[in-house]
Amino acid sequence: MHRQQTAVSKIRRFLAGRTHRRRILGGLLCAGLALALSPATRVSASDLPVLRAAVLKIGTVNWELDTIKRNGFDTENGFELSVVPYADNGATRVALEGGEADLAVADWIWVARQRAAGKDYVFVPYSRAVGGLVVPGDSTATTLKDLRGQKIGIAGGPVDKSWLILQAYAQKEYGFDLAAETEQVFGAPPLIFKAGLGGDTAGAINFWHFLAKMKAAGMRELISVETAATALGLDPDIPLLGYVLKESYLRENPQMASALYGASRAAKDLLAGDDAAWEVLRPRMNAKSDAAFEALRRDFRAGIPAPGNIDEDGAATFFSLMVSLGGEKLVGGARELPPGLFAELE
């Protein structure tokens, strides 16, 4: 009898242990399944291709790239963005050419020049923000011809695209040779910024973010490049600035152009409609006042291009004008828009 009770007890303990083991095993399976399906696992950096971006350390593109990283728009689009800062634009382009980076930022006129010279560069649109010409707040000038005999500060050099477009506009609208009838002072954007605010020049042409701060400080826009381009029959909505990648890289990562574009659009959509998204960027923006901060935010938003592929016919018209105005100094050996310049975006 005792032996029978002992046997029954052993059977009960075995069955209870088996139930306990099932519960442990089931719990482990559920935990493993939950981990496998979690967002963190799905977008694990180790499972995604890394896109190395060589960018100017203080460039405005960092506002978008920071927004992409901060909100996970890169991993949502199937890649991990790695941002590598450089001291000047020349160094970013050397990094791209030498394979130290997969991406740099440039305007597509420069990319067309490189492509015509045999490099396999491809352009993904980023921004249509362009400059203009500003004058002191108390200036009596109302048109470009009112600057006759005066000094204009110009960032970017003699073949700066804004300067070329404004010359063409002045000739078309007024029969006025802007280059011959004014004195030009060329310099780096910060120097033109200081000269303009200090009253050392009657007008200033600068990059868009410097112009935003100049306007916030009391200068006024005499004419924008967008207005001049429209008068010349150009499409002002064509994005001039963009991300540059190599075809060789895109052959290995065929989804990357569209993935990058998707992340870029997600960041733009957020920055276009959410003021709070800008607060975390403020330390990067070098805005010395609330007015400067608001001007930078406003003009960044104004430079967000419409979604979609670039109109190649419109770009070809723009490029022809650059060829005629800037010549070999601007476009090198290119005489027409190189095929394959713009990435096809899904």
PDB file of all heavy atoms in Angstrom, residues 9-44:
ATOM      1  N   SER A   9       2.508   9.421  -5.880  1.00  0.00           N
ATOM      2  CA  SER A   9       3.105  10.728  -5.568  1.00  0.00           C
ATOM      3  C   SER A   9       4.146  11.111  -6.613  1.00  0.00           C
ATOM      4  O   SER A   9       4.239  12.269  -7.042  1.00  0.00           O
ATOM      5  CB  SER A   9       3.757  10.698  -4.178  1.00  0.00           C
ATOM      6  OG  SER A   9       2.782  10.453  -3.185  1.00  0.00           O
ATOM      7  N   LYS A  10       4.954  10.117  -7.038  1.00  0.00           N
ATOM      8  CA  LYS A  10       5.971  10.397  -8.048  1.00  0.00           C
ATOM      9  C   LYS A  10       5.339  10.826  -9.362  1.00  0.00           C
ATOM     10  O   LYS A  10       5.807  11.738 -10.041  1.00  0.00           O
ATOM     11  CB  LYS A  10       6.837   9.160  -8.262  1.00  0.00           C
ATOM     12  CG  LYS A  10       7.792   8.896  -7.118  1.00  0.00           C
ATOM     13  CD  LYS A  10       8.653   7.664  -7.411  1.00  0.00           C
ATOM     14  CE  LYS A  10       9.651   7.413  -6.280  1.00  0.00           C
ATOM     15  NZ  LYS A  10      10.495   6.227  -6.561  1.00  0.00           N
ATOM     16  N   ILE A  11       4.256  10.119  -9.716  1.00  0.00           N
ATOM     17  CA  ILE A  11       3.562  10.461 -10.967  1.00  0.00           C
ATOM     18  C   ILE A  11       3.021  11.872 -10.897  1.00  0.00           C
ATOM     19  O   ILE A  11       3.127  12.670 -11.834  1.00  0.00           O
ATOM     20  CB  ILE A  11       2.432   9.437 -11.250  1.00  0.00           C
ATOM     21  CG1 ILE A  11       3.037   8.081 -11.607  1.00  0.00           C
ATOM     22  CG2 ILE A  11       1.537   9.927 -12.387  1.00  0.00           C
ATOM     23  CD1 ILE A  11       2.015   6.956 -11.692  1.00  0.00           C
ATOM     24  N   ARG A  12       2.399  12.231  -9.743  1.00  0.00           N
ATOM     25  CA  ARG A  12       1.843  13.578  -9.588  1.00  0.00           C
ATOM     26  C   ARG A  12       2.936  14.643  -9.684  1.00  0.00           C
ATOM     27  O   ARG A  12       2.758  15.692 -10.293  1.00  0.00           O
ATOM     28  CB  ARG A  12       1.123  13.685  -8.252  1.00  0.00           C
ATOM     29  CG  ARG A  12      -0.211  12.960  -8.237  1.00  0.00           C
ATOM     30  CD  ARG A  12      -0.829  12.979  -6.872  1.00  0.00           C
ATOM     31  NE  ARG A  12      -2.153  12.353  -6.877  1.00  0.00           N
ATOM     32  CZ  ARG A  12      -2.844  12.065  -5.778  1.00  0.00           C
ATOM     33  NH1 ARG A  12      -2.311  12.346  -4.565  1.00  0.00           N
ATOM     34  NH2 ARG A  12      -4.040  11.507  -5.876  1.00  0.00           N
ATOM     35  N   ARG A  13       4.122  14.349  -9.020  1.00  0.00           N
ATOM     36  CA  ARG A  13       5.214  15.328  -9.082  1.00  0.00           C
ATOM     37  C   ARG A  13       5.745  15.491 -10.511  1.00  0.00           C
ATOM     38  O   ARG A  13       6.085  16.575 -10.956  1.00  0.00           O
ATOM     39  CB  ARG A  13       6.355  14.892  -8.144  1.00  0.00           C
ATOM     40  CG  ARG A  13       6.044  15.114  -6.678  1.00  0.00           C
ATOM     41  CD  ARG A  13       7.317  15.070  -5.839  1.00  0.00           C
ATOM     42  NE  ARG A  13       7.990  13.778  -5.935  1.00  0.00           N
ATOM     43  CZ  ARG A  13       7.736  12.757  -5.142  1.00  0.00           C
ATOM     44  NH1 ARG A  13       6.819  12.876  -4.177  1.00  0.00           N
ATOM     45  NH2 ARG A  13       8.387  11.622  -5.295  1.00  0.00           N
ATOM     46  N   PHE A  14       5.818  14.397 -11.255  1.00  0.00           N
ATOM     47  CA  PHE A  14       6.307  14.461 -12.646  1.00  0.00           C
ATOM     48  C   PHE A  14       5.374  15.295 -13.506  1.00  0.00           C
ATOM     49  O   PHE A  14       5.809  16.150 -14.286  1.00  0.00           O
ATOM     50  CB  PHE A  14       6.415  13.042 -13.216  1.00  0.00           C
ATOM     51  CG  PHE A  14       6.757  13.028 -14.694  1.00  0.00           C
ATOM     52  CD1 PHE A  14       8.055  13.225 -15.109  1.00  0.00           C
ATOM     53  CD2 PHE A  14       5.761  12.851 -15.649  1.00  0.00           C
ATOM     54  CE1 PHE A  14       8.365  13.225 -16.459  1.00  0.00           C
ATOM     55  CE2 PHE A  14       6.073  12.846 -16.996  1.00  0.00           C
ATOM     56  CZ  PHE A  14       7.384  13.029 -17.403  1.00  0.00           C
ATOM     57  N   LEU A  15       4.032  14.995 -13.330  1.00  0.00           N
ATOM     58  CA  LEU A  15       3.075  15.740 -14.133  1.00  0.00           C
ATOM     59  C   LEU A  15       3.105  17.223 -13.787  1.00  0.00           C
ATOM     60  O   LEU A  15       3.021  18.088 -14.646  1.00  0.00           O
ATOM     61  CB  LEU A  15       1.665  15.168 -13.919  1.00  0.00           C
ATOM     62  CG  LEU A  15       1.436  13.773 -14.501  1.00  0.00           C
ATOM     63  CD1 LEU A  15       0.026  13.274 -14.142  1.00  0.00           C
ATOM     64  CD2 LEU A  15       1.592  13.785 -16.033  1.00  0.00           C
ATOM     65  N   ALA A  16       3.205  17.535 -12.506  1.00  0.00           N
ATOM     66  CA  ALA A  16       3.276  18.932 -12.095  1.00  0.00           C
ATOM     67  C   ALA A  16       4.528  19.595 -12.642  1.00  0.00           C
ATOM     68  O   ALA A  16       4.510  20.734 -13.110  1.00  0.00           O
ATOM     69  CB  ALA A  16       3.258  19.013 -10.560  1.00  0.00           C
ATOM     70  N   GLY A  17       5.648  18.856 -12.602  1.00  0.00           N
ATOM     71  CA  GLY A  17       6.897  19.413 -13.139  1.00  0.00           C
ATOM     72  C   GLY A  17       6.804  19.638 -14.629  1.00  0.00           C
ATOM     73  O   GLY A  17       7.311  20.619 -15.171  1.00  0.00           O
ATOM     74  N   ARG A  18       6.148  18.703 -15.337  1.00  0.00           N
ATOM     75  CA  ARG A  18       5.994  18.864 -16.783  1.00  0.00           C
ATOM     76  C   ARG A  18       5.154  20.084 -17.099  1.00  0.00           C
ATOM     77  O   ARG A  18       5.462  20.851 -18.017  1.00  0.00           O
ATOM     78  CB  ARG A  18       5.353  17.611 -17.369  1.00  0.00           C
ATOM     79  CG  ARG A  18       5.281  17.654 -18.888  1.00  0.00           C
ATOM     80  CD  ARG A  18       4.878  16.312 -19.447  1.00  0.00           C
ATOM     81  NE  ARG A  18       3.558  15.912 -18.974  1.00  0.00           N
ATOM     82  CZ  ARG A  18       2.989  14.756 -19.285  1.00  0.00           C
ATOM     83  NH1 ARG A  18       3.638  13.875 -20.034  1.00  0.00           N
ATOM     84  NH2 ARG A  18       1.788  14.467 -18.821  1.00  0.00           N
ATOM     85  N   THR A  19       4.099  20.310 -16.311  1.00  0.00           N
ATOM     86  CA  THR A  19       3.278  21.511 -16.525  1.00  0.00           C
ATOM     87  C   THR A  19       4.092  22.763 -16.279  1.00  0.00           C
ATOM     88  O   THR A  19       4.010  23.744 -17.018  1.00  0.00           O
ATOM     89  CB  THR A  19       2.071  21.473 -15.570  1.00  0.00           C
ATOM     90  OG1 THR A  19       1.310  20.303 -15.833  1.00  0.00           O
ATOM     91  CG2 THR A  19       1.204  22.712 -15.749  1.00  0.00           C
ATOM     92  N   HIS A  20       4.912  22.721 -15.214  1.00  0.00           N
ATOM     93  CA  HIS A  20       5.759  23.882 -14.897  1.00  0.00           C
ATOM     94  C   HIS A  20       6.755  24.138 -16.028  1.00  0.00           C
ATOM     95  O   HIS A  20       6.982  25.292 -16.444  1.00  0.00           O
ATOM     96  CB  HIS A  20       6.494  23.610 -13.588  1.00  0.00           C
ATOM     97  CG  HIS A  20       7.380  24.736 -13.163  1.00  0.00           C
ATOM     98  ND1 HIS A  20       6.903  25.984 -12.865  1.00  0.00           N
ATOM     99  CD2 HIS A  20       8.735  24.789 -12.996  1.00  0.00           C
ATOM    100  CE1 HIS A  20       7.899  26.775 -12.529  1.00  0.00           C
ATOM    101  NE2 HIS A  20       9.029  26.077 -12.601  1.00  0.00           N
ATOM    102  N   ARG A  21       7.324  23.007 -16.538  1.00  0.00           N
ATOM    103  CA  ARG A  21       8.293  23.163 -17.628  1.00  0.00           C
ATOM    104  C   ARG A  21       7.627  23.732 -18.861  1.00  0.00           C
ATOM    105  O   ARG A  21       8.210  24.532 -19.602  1.00  0.00           O
ATOM    106  CB  ARG A  21       8.956  21.812 -17.924  1.00  0.00           C
ATOM    107  CG  ARG A  21       9.979  21.399 -16.879  1.00  0.00           C
ATOM    108  CD  ARG A  21      10.803  20.203 -17.364  1.00  0.00           C
ATOM    109  NE  ARG A  21       9.995  19.008 -17.510  1.00  0.00           N
ATOM    110  CZ  ARG A  21       9.775  18.148 -16.537  1.00  0.00           C
ATOM    111  NH1 ARG A  21      10.268  18.361 -15.327  1.00  0.00           N
ATOM    112  NH2 ARG A  21       9.042  17.078 -16.737  1.00  0.00           N
ATOM    113  N   ARG A  22       6.404  23.315 -19.145  1.00  0.00           N
ATOM    114  CA  ARG A  22       5.666  23.854 -20.292  1.00  0.00           C
ATOM    115  C   ARG A  22       5.468  25.358 -20.145  1.00  0.00           C
ATOM    116  O   ARG A  22       5.598  26.118 -21.091  1.00  0.00           O
ATOM    117  CB  ARG A  22       4.303  23.176 -20.392  1.00  0.00           C
ATOM    118  CG  ARG A  22       4.340  21.810 -21.044  1.00  0.00           C
ATOM    119  CD  ARG A  22       2.956  21.239 -21.044  1.00  0.00           C
ATOM    120  NE  ARG A  22       2.908  19.904 -21.589  1.00  0.00           N
ATOM    121  CZ  ARG A  22       1.910  19.063 -21.408  1.00  0.00           C
ATOM    122  NH1 ARG A  22       0.869  19.444 -20.664  1.00  0.00           N
ATOM    123  NH2 ARG A  22       1.926  17.874 -21.968  1.00  0.00           N
ATOM    124  N   ARG A  23       5.120  25.747 -18.909  1.00  0.00           N
ATOM    125  CA  ARG A  23       4.894  27.172 -18.681  1.00  0.00           C
ATOM    126  C   ARG A  23       6.172  27.983 -18.908  1.00  0.00           C
ATOM    127  O   ARG A  23       6.165  29.062 -19.509  1.00  0.00           O
ATOM    128  CB  ARG A  23       4.372  27.405 -17.264  1.00  0.00           C
ATOM    129  CG  ARG A  23       2.933  26.932 -17.085  1.00  0.00           C
ATOM    130  CD  ARG A  23       2.525  27.005 -15.645  1.00  0.00           C
ATOM    131  NE  ARG A  23       1.141  26.565 -15.471  1.00  0.00           N
ATOM    132  CZ  ARG A  23       0.598  26.303 -14.293  1.00  0.00           C
ATOM    133  NH1 ARG A  23       1.328  26.415 -13.172  1.00  0.00           N
ATOM    134  NH2 ARG A  23      -0.663  25.912 -14.222  1.00  0.00           N
ATOM    135  N   ILE A  24       7.295  27.467 -18.406  1.00  0.00           N
ATOM    136  CA  ILE A  24       8.577  28.160 -18.599  1.00  0.00           C
ATOM    137  C   ILE A  24       8.920  28.247 -20.076  1.00  0.00           C
ATOM    138  O   ILE A  24       9.291  29.295 -20.595  1.00  0.00           O
ATOM    139  CB  ILE A  24       9.700  27.435 -17.836  1.00  0.00           C
ATOM    140  CG1 ILE A  24       9.450  27.556 -16.329  1.00  0.00           C
ATOM    141  CG2 ILE A  24      11.060  27.993 -18.217  1.00  0.00           C
ATOM    142  CD1 ILE A  24      10.435  26.763 -15.491  1.00  0.00           C
ATOM    143  N   LEU A  25       8.790  27.079 -20.768  1.00  0.00           N
ATOM    144  CA  LEU A  25       9.111  27.042 -22.192  1.00  0.00           C
ATOM    145  C   LEU A  25       8.197  27.970 -22.975  1.00  0.00           C
ATOM    146  O   LEU A  25       8.640  28.718 -23.853  1.00  0.00           O
ATOM    147  CB  LEU A  25       8.982  25.603 -22.712  1.00  0.00           C
ATOM    148  CG  LEU A  25       9.311  25.404 -24.208  1.00  0.00           C
ATOM    149  CD1 LEU A  25      10.730  25.853 -24.493  1.00  0.00           C
ATOM    150  CD2 LEU A  25       9.114  23.941 -24.599  1.00  0.00           C
ATOM    151  N   GLY A  26       6.893  27.938 -22.642  1.00  0.00           N
ATOM    152  CA  GLY A  26       5.950  28.819 -23.333  1.00  0.00           C
ATOM    153  C   GLY A  26       6.293  30.275 -23.111  1.00  0.00           C
ATOM    154  O   GLY A  26       6.219  31.101 -24.028  1.00  0.00           O
ATOM    155  N   GLY A  27       6.665  30.591 -21.851  1.00  0.00           N
ATOM    156  CA  GLY A  27       7.036  31.974 -21.559  1.00  0.00           C
ATOM    157  C   GLY A  27       8.251  32.405 -22.349  1.00  0.00           C
ATOM    158  O   GLY A  27       8.322  33.522 -22.869  1.00  0.00           O
ATOM    159  N   LEU A  28       9.233  31.516 -22.449  1.00  0.00           N
ATOM    160  CA  LEU A  28      10.439  31.830 -23.214  1.00  0.00           C
ATOM    161  C   LEU A  28      10.126  32.035 -24.686  1.00  0.00           C
ATOM    162  O   LEU A  28      10.657  32.940 -25.332  1.00  0.00           O
ATOM    163  CB  LEU A  28      11.472  30.714 -23.042  1.00  0.00           C
ATOM    164  CG  LEU A  28      12.122  30.606 -21.659  1.00  0.00           C
ATOM    165  CD1 LEU A  28      12.998  29.359 -21.587  1.00  0.00           C
ATOM    166  CD2 LEU A  28      12.948  31.854 -21.358  1.00  0.00           C
ATOM    167  N   LEU A  29       9.265  31.182 -25.223  1.00  0.00           N
ATOM    168  CA  LEU A  29       8.883  31.312 -26.635  1.00  0.00           C
ATOM    169  C   LEU A  29       8.162  32.626 -26.887  1.00  0.00           C
ATOM    170  O   LEU A  29       8.409  33.312 -27.887  1.00  0.00           O
ATOM    171  CB  LEU A  29       8.014  30.131 -27.054  1.00  0.00           C
ATOM    172  CG  LEU A  29       8.734  28.788 -27.183  1.00  0.00           C
ATOM    173  CD1 LEU A  29       7.715  27.667 -27.449  1.00  0.00           C
ATOM    174  CD2 LEU A  29       9.766  28.837 -28.310  1.00  0.00           C
ATOM    175  N   CYS A  30       7.251  32.985 -25.992  1.00  0.00           N
ATOM    176  CA  CYS A  30       6.519  34.242 -26.153  1.00  0.00           C
ATOM    177  C   CYS A  30       7.446  35.440 -26.069  1.00  0.00           C
ATOM    178  O   CYS A  30       7.350  36.395 -26.844  1.00  0.00           O
ATOM    179  CB  CYS A  30       5.436  34.363 -25.077  1.00  0.00           C
ATOM    180  SG  CYS A  30       4.054  33.212 -25.329  1.00  0.00           S
ATOM    181  N   ALA A  31       8.387  35.362 -25.122  1.00  0.00           N
ATOM    182  CA  ALA A  31       9.334  36.474 -24.974  1.00  0.00           C
ATOM    183  C   ALA A  31      10.207  36.602 -26.214  1.00  0.00           C
ATOM    184  O   ALA A  31      10.483  37.703 -26.695  1.00  0.00           O
ATOM    185  CB  ALA A  31      10.205  36.256 -23.732  1.00  0.00           C
ATOM    186  N   GLY A  32      10.643  35.433 -26.730  1.00  0.00           N
ATOM    187  CA  GLY A  32      11.462  35.466 -27.939  1.00  0.00           C
ATOM    188  C   GLY A  32      10.704  36.019 -29.120  1.00  0.00           C
ATOM    189  O   GLY A  32      11.244  36.785 -29.924  1.00  0.00           O
ATOM    190  N   LEU A  33       9.429  35.616 -29.227  1.00  0.00           N
ATOM    191  CA  LEU A  33       8.611  36.120 -30.332  1.00  0.00           C
ATOM    192  C   LEU A  33       8.395  37.626 -30.208  1.00  0.00           C
ATOM    193  O   LEU A  33       8.483  38.360 -31.191  1.00  0.00           O
ATOM    194  CB  LEU A  33       7.265  35.395 -30.345  1.00  0.00           C
ATOM    195  CG  LEU A  33       6.304  35.781 -31.477  1.00  0.00           C
ATOM    196  CD1 LEU A  33       6.927  35.480 -32.825  1.00  0.00           C
ATOM    197  CD2 LEU A  33       4.976  35.039 -31.322  1.00  0.00           C
ATOM    198  N   ALA A  34       8.123  38.082 -29.005  1.00  0.00           N
ATOM    199  CA  ALA A  34       7.919  39.518 -28.792  1.00  0.00           C
ATOM    200  C   ALA A  34       9.172  40.296 -29.143  1.00  0.00           C
ATOM    201  O   ALA A  34       9.120  41.368 -29.754  1.00  0.00           O
ATOM    202  CB  ALA A  34       7.526  39.774 -27.336  1.00  0.00           C
ATOM    203  N   LEU A  35      10.334  39.755 -28.753  1.00  0.00           N
ATOM    204  CA  LEU A  35      11.593  40.429 -29.075  1.00  0.00           C
ATOM    205  C   LEU A  35      11.814  40.481 -30.570  1.00  0.00           C
ATOM    206  O   LEU A  35      12.233  41.493 -31.131  1.00  0.00           O
ATOM    207  CB  LEU A  35      12.749  39.705 -28.390  1.00  0.00           C
ATOM    208  CG  LEU A  35      14.160  40.290 -28.622  1.00  0.00           C
ATOM    209  CD1 LEU A  35      14.210  41.706 -28.052  1.00  0.00           C
ATOM    210  CD2 LEU A  35      15.219  39.404 -27.964  1.00  0.00           C
ATOM    211  N   ALA A  36      11.514  39.373 -31.241  1.00  0.00           N
ATOM    212  CA  ALA A  36      11.717  39.319 -32.693  1.00  0.00           C
ATOM    213  C   ALA A  36      10.836  40.304 -33.426  1.00  0.00           C
ATOM    214  O   ALA A  36      11.205  40.813 -34.483  1.00  0.00           O
ATOM    215  CB  ALA A  36      11.444  37.897 -33.195  1.00  0.00           C
ATOM    216  N   LEU A  37       9.660  40.579 -32.861  1.00  0.00           N
ATOM    217  CA  LEU A  37       8.721  41.470 -33.537  1.00  0.00           C
ATOM    218  C   LEU A  37       8.818  42.914 -33.072  1.00  0.00           C
ATOM    219  O   LEU A  37       8.125  43.774 -33.596  1.00  0.00           O
ATOM    220  CB  LEU A  37       7.287  40.968 -33.292  1.00  0.00           C
ATOM    221  CG  LEU A  37       6.947  39.615 -33.921  1.00  0.00           C
ATOM    222  CD1 LEU A  37       5.522  39.220 -33.529  1.00  0.00           C
ATOM    223  CD2 LEU A  37       7.103  39.647 -35.430  1.00  0.00           C
ATOM    224  N   SER A  38       9.664  43.181 -32.097  1.00  0.00           N
ATOM    225  CA  SER A  38       9.741  44.542 -31.560  1.00  0.00           C
ATOM    226  C   SER A  38      10.352  45.483 -32.574  1.00  0.00           C
ATOM    227  O   SER A  38      11.198  45.091 -33.368  1.00  0.00           O
ATOM    228  CB  SER A  38      10.579  44.557 -30.286  1.00  0.00           C
ATOM    229  OG  SER A  38      11.941  44.331 -30.599  1.00  0.00           O
ATOM    230  N   PRO A  39       9.966  46.781 -32.574  1.00  0.00           N
ATOM    231  CA  PRO A  39      10.521  47.764 -33.495  1.00  0.00           C
ATOM    232  C   PRO A  39      12.027  47.875 -33.377  1.00  0.00           C
ATOM    233  O   PRO A  39      12.728  48.029 -34.368  1.00  0.00           O
ATOM    234  CB  PRO A  39       9.830  49.067 -33.076  1.00  0.00           C
ATOM    235  CG  PRO A  39       8.568  48.636 -32.408  1.00  0.00           C
ATOM    236  CD  PRO A  39       8.897  47.347 -31.734  1.00  0.00           C
ATOM    237  N   ALA A  40      12.539  47.784 -32.147  1.00  0.00           N
ATOM    238  CA  ALA A  40      13.986  47.925 -31.973  1.00  0.00           C
ATOM    239  C   ALA A  40      14.728  46.844 -32.733  1.00  0.00           C
ATOM    240  O   ALA A  40      15.790  47.072 -33.298  1.00  0.00           O
ATOM    241  CB  ALA A  40      14.335  47.864 -30.486  1.00  0.00           C
ATOM    242  N   THR A  41      14.152  45.620 -32.737  1.00  0.00           N
ATOM    243  CA  THR A  41      14.810  44.542 -33.451  1.00  0.00           C
ATOM    244  C   THR A  41      14.659  44.699 -34.954  1.00  0.00           C
ATOM    245  O   THR A  41      15.588  44.467 -35.715  1.00  0.00           O
ATOM    246  CB  THR A  41      14.213  43.185 -32.997  1.00  0.00           C
ATOM    247  OG1 THR A  41      14.359  43.081 -31.588  1.00  0.00           O
ATOM    248  CG2 THR A  41      14.906  42.038 -33.699  1.00  0.00           C
ATOM    249  N   ARG A  42      13.480  45.127 -35.382  1.00  0.00           N
ATOM    250  CA  ARG A  42      13.243  45.278 -36.819  1.00  0.00           C
ATOM    251  C   ARG A  42      14.182  46.296 -37.442  1.00  0.00           C
ATOM    252  O   ARG A  42      14.559  46.177 -38.591  1.00  0.00           O
ATOM    253  CB  ARG A  42      11.792  45.710 -37.067  1.00  0.00           C
ATOM    254  CG  ARG A  42      10.787  44.631 -36.849  1.00  0.00           C
ATOM    255  CD  ARG A  42       9.487  44.999 -37.547  1.00  0.00           C
ATOM    256  NE  ARG A  42       8.975  46.272 -37.119  1.00  0.00           N
ATOM    257  CZ  ARG A  42       8.132  46.439 -36.122  1.00  0.00           C
ATOM    258  NH1 ARG A  42       7.740  45.409 -35.418  1.00  0.00           N
ATOM    259  NH2 ARG A  42       7.686  47.645 -35.805  1.00  0.00           N
ATOM    260  N   VAL A  43      14.579  47.331 -36.703  1.00  0.00           N
ATOM    261  CA  VAL A  43      15.400  48.388 -37.274  1.00  0.00           C
ATOM    262  C   VAL A  43      16.804  48.375 -36.669  1.00  0.00           C
ATOM    263  O   VAL A  43      17.462  49.391 -36.602  1.00  0.00           O
ATOM    264  CB  VAL A  43      14.738  49.771 -37.066  1.00  0.00           C
ATOM    265  CG1 VAL A  43      13.416  49.829 -37.781  1.00  0.00           C
ATOM    266  CG2 VAL A  43      14.544  50.083 -35.582  1.00  0.00           C
ATOM    267  N   SER A  44      17.235  47.212 -36.202  1.00  0.00           N
ATOM    268  CA  SER A  44      18.564  47.101 -35.629  1.00  0.00           C
ATOM    269  C   SER A  44      19.595  47.623 -36.613  1.00  0.00           C
ATOM    270  O   SER A  44      19.612  47.268 -37.788  1.00  0.00           O
ATOM    271  CB  SER A  44      18.856  45.640 -35.299  1.00  0.00           C
ATOM    272  OG  SER A  44      20.211  45.475 -34.944  1.00  0.00           O
TER     273      SER A  44
END
